[in-house]
Amino acid sequence: MSLSVIYMIIMFILVVIFIVNSIRHRNEIRNYVKYGILFTLILFVFDFAVIILIPNVFELLPVYLWFIVAVIAYVKIVIFTCLGIYYCSLLGIVEIPLIKRFSGISNSFDTIKQQNYIASIVGVVVGAILFTVILFELTSPDISDTFRKLVKTEQAKLGISNEPSVLIALIMVVAAFGEEIIFRLGIQNYLAKQFKLNEDMYWVSVVLTSALWSIAHANTLDPEWVKIVQIFPMGIVLGFLFKKYGLESCILAHGIFNLCMMFIGPHLITM
């Protein structure tokens, strides 16, 4: 069984669990729906920009199918956001300090040293880039045949290229935004709460989440293990970054890394 299949099975189970828990804890999470809606609106703006920039977007799927896919994705974001914040509240973790500070709900961000906050994000990005460059130079990976065919097929349908562009940048940012909500805010804190991984044991949920996030990127490079080795340590660092500084720091670090790789990646691997 391939890693991609294993990932899909695990994610299906987790999505079902989150849906059930959202119904079970509907009274506890209703105050967090506003954050889910906020993240959905942000995601919608990015998605709308992507749709505008893709010339043949509706040739890939009819409008009504795009609508169905979007609704499912946005509902998923709301559910993972609400439950993620709920689990964080039970674990005593400050989950979205920057957003709460700007909305006047909490001043928890004021206790964070901004220089350390920025330095940590920059450190994660620089460290991840250096590690990726060294790893790829040593292993000389190539795009996997499956992923190459998929990318070329989709590019042909949509009339786009793999050259750095505003469209590619938006897609990179959307990917980082959604993944951090699902994995770092949602899954990581669900595991910590479910298995009572408080304080000193929280690292276990970080490692497990990073492992799942890593196999989500399986079957993209050849040899496959190179992508896992690249992604896994970054997932661990992002997991601890979340615990210390909250979701926004992870989104920023992940998004900036993706944007940098948009320019660096083509020099390390061949599409």
Side-chain angles (χ1 to χ4, degrees):
M1 185 181 295
S2 69
L3 290 176
S4 298
V5 174
I6 293 173
Y7 169 74
M8 288 188 289
I9 293 173
I10 294 174
M11 280 304 299
F12 176 78
I13 294 172
L14 285 171
V15 168
V16 171
I17 290 173
F18 269 72
I19 293 173
V20 171
N21 284 349
S22 68
I23 296 173
R24 179 181 300 170
H25 300 293
R26 58 187 179 278
N27 292 328
E28 293 92 334
I29 68 174
R30 61 185 178 183
N31 290 331
Y32 307 132
V33 173
K34 57 189 173 186
Y35 299 115
I37 294 175
L38 172 63
F39 290 147
T40 298
L41 289 175
I42 294 173
L43 191 58
F44 173 78
V45 171
F46 281 118
D47 286 344
F48 186 73
V50 169
I51 289 175
I52 290 176
L53 291 172
I54 296 177
N56 304 315
V57 65
F58 294 115
E59 292 183 11
L60 184 62
L61 287 175
V63 176
Y64 74 92
L65 285 181
W66 276 116
F67 178 78
I68 293 173
V69 170
V71 168
I72 293 174
Y74 296 151
V75 170
K76 183 179 176 182
I77 289 294
V78 172
I79 290 175
F80 274 75
T81 296
C82 293
L83 282 173
I85 295 176
Y86 171 63
Y87 295 137
C88 284
S89 68
L90 297 178
L91 294 165
I93 296 174
V94 180
E95 66 297 301
I96 46 174
L98 193 57
I99 291 174
K100 287 186 174 180
R101 177 65 182 85
F102 285 146
S103 60
I105 294 176
S106 171
N107 62 353
S108 57
F109 187 76
D110 294 341
T111 63
I112 298 174
K113 293 183 179 180
Q114 295 185 18
Q115 289 183 339
N116 293 346
Y117 185 87
I118 296 173
S120 296
I121 293 174
V122 172
V124 170
V125 174
V126 173
I129 291 174
L130 289 176
F131 179 72
T132 298
V133 171
I134 294 172
L135 177 65
F136 284 14
E137 287 292 339
L138 291 174
T139 58
S140 301
D142 197 3
I143 296 293
S144 69
D145 290 338
T146 301
F147 191 66
R148 179 183 286 110
K149 290 177 182 178
L150 175 63
V151 170
K152 289 186 176 180
T153 299
E154 297 306 314
Q155 287 176 342
K157 289 180 180 178
L158 298 175
I160 61 176
S161 68
N162 60 353
E163 295 296 323
S165 64
V166 175
L167 174 59
I168 301 299
L170 285 171
I171 294 174
M172 293 288 194
V173 171
V174 168
F177 187 83
E179 287 179 14
E180 292 308 311
I181 292 174
I182 298 299
F183 288 93
R184 245 61 66 180
L185 176 60
I187 295 174
Q188 181 169 294
N189 294 292
Y190 162 74
L191 294 175
K193 177 62 180 65
Q194 181 68 22
F195 299 107
K196 297 180 174 58
L197 303 173
N198 299 325
E199 298 301 329
D200 294 340
M201 293 301 294
Y202 188 81
W203 65 270
V204 177
S205 67
V206 172
V207 172
L208 291 175
T209 303
S210 180
L212 181 61
W213 186 57
S214 299
I215 66 173
H217 295 79
N219 201 27
T220 55
L221 292 183
D222 184 22
E224 188 175 51
W225 64 266
V226 174
K227 188 64 178 179
I228 305 298
V229 171
Q230 178 210 10
I231 292 295
F232 182 69
M234 184 178 178
I236 291 178
V237 174
L238 287 172
F240 284 111
L241 188 68
F242 174 89
K243 190 174 187 296
K244 188 170 185 178
Y245 293 120
L247 177 67
E248 302 95 337
S249 63
C250 296
I251 293 175
L252 287 171
H254 190 169
I256 294 171
F257 171 77
N258 281 0
L259 291 176
C260 292
M261 288 306 299
M262 178 178 66
F263 296 96
I264 299 173
H267 299 287
L268 300 175
I269 53 179
T270 304
M271 291 296 291

